[in-house]
């Protein structure tokens, strides 16, 4: 199936608990993989506004992640520190590698990138900087505090 990204709906917001949603308010996603009927992995085209961030800093227990920058400049923040990514650069995060990461747009220009991740069942998201954990199951992502308690919104 062929799809023009301009015809793929843009989603803004997050399924994070309300406390964390403002931190990713500058992120716009287009679910290209879903639009072409992929089921084993997802491909999103993400537009990150100046000052926006891709996610809370995290890593996955079972999911590989891959990022390819299409335009603009992004700051990659990992356990090793910060690095600048520009158009044509790529980075990968193997499943189970405890290296919290996210992207921040500290430039004054919009940045666009592709994010690719597999859909391995029973994945967990680990958030080293926040009192948050995520488990993926049949109903999608479920977020709790690290002690397992639910968020009161």
């Amino acid at each position: 199936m062929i799809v023009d990204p301009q015809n793929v709906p843009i989603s803004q917001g997050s399924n994070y608990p309300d406390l964390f949603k403002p931190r990713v308010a500058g992120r716009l996603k287009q679910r290209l993989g879903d639009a072409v009927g992929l089921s084993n992995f997802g491909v999103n085209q993400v537009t990150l506004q100046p000052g926006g961030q891709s996610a809370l800093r995290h890593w996955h227990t079972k999911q590989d992640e891959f990022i390819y920058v299409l335009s603009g400049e992004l700051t990659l923040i990992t356990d090793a520190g910060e690095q600048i990514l520009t158009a044509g650069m790529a980075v990968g995060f193997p499943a189970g590698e405890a290296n919290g990461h996210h992207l921040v747009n500290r430039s004054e220009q919009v940045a666009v990138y592709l994010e690719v991740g597999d859909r391995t069942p029973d994945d967990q998201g680990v958030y080293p900087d926040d009192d948050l954990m995520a488990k993926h199951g049949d109903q999608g992502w479920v977020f709790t505090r690290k002690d397992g308690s639910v968020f009161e919104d």
Side-chain angles (χ1 to χ4, degrees):
M1 174 183 281
I2 296 173
V3 66
D4 181 343
Q6 293 182 4
N7 297 326
V8 175
I10 296 171
S11 63
Q12 186 171 12
S14 168
N15 57 352
Y16 287 143
D18 288 347
L19 171 69
F20 302 105
K21 287 181 181 183
R23 292 169 52 189
V24 293
R27 178 187 74 191
L28 307 171
K29 283 191 180 191
Q30 293 172 280
R31 299 186 187 289
L32 302 180
D34 289 352
V36 296
L38 300 181
S39 60
N40 292 327
F41 62 94
V43 180
N44 298 321
Q45 181 171 293
V46 182
T47 301
L48 208 54
Q49 303 294 327
Q53 66 182 47
S54 62
L56 304 179
R57 206 167 70 87
H58 70 285
W59 59 274
H60 290 271
T61 58
K62 295 186 177 182
Q63 182 186 111
D64 287 334
E65 289 182 275
F66 175 83
I67 301 292
Y68 181 82
V69 181
L70 297 171
S71 66
E73 178 182 291
L74 295 163
T75 302
L76 169 66
I77 301 171
T78 67
D79 290 349
E82 299 185 6
Q83 295 176 281
I84 300 297
L85 302 178
T86 57
M89 296 177 80
V91 62
F93 302 99
E97 188 174 291
N99 183 12
H101 57 273
H102 71 164
L103 302 167
V104 177
N105 185 350
R106 292 186 177 151
S107 78
E108 295 183 16
Q109 305 296 321
V110 169
V112 180
Y113 62 93
L114 293 177
E115 65 181 11
V116 180
D118 68 66
R119 296 179 177 175
T120 303
D122 302 318
D123 185 31
Q124 293 184 31
V126 179
Y127 298 84
D129 303 332
D130 296 287
D131 185 15
L132 183 67
M133 58 187 292
K135 292 183 181 179
H136 194 268
D138 293 339
Q139 304 301 316
W141 288 102
V142 175
F143 293 92
T144 65
R145 295 186 183 281
K146 288 181 178 170
D147 67 6
S149 62
V150 297
F151 284 90
E152 302 295 329
D153 291 328

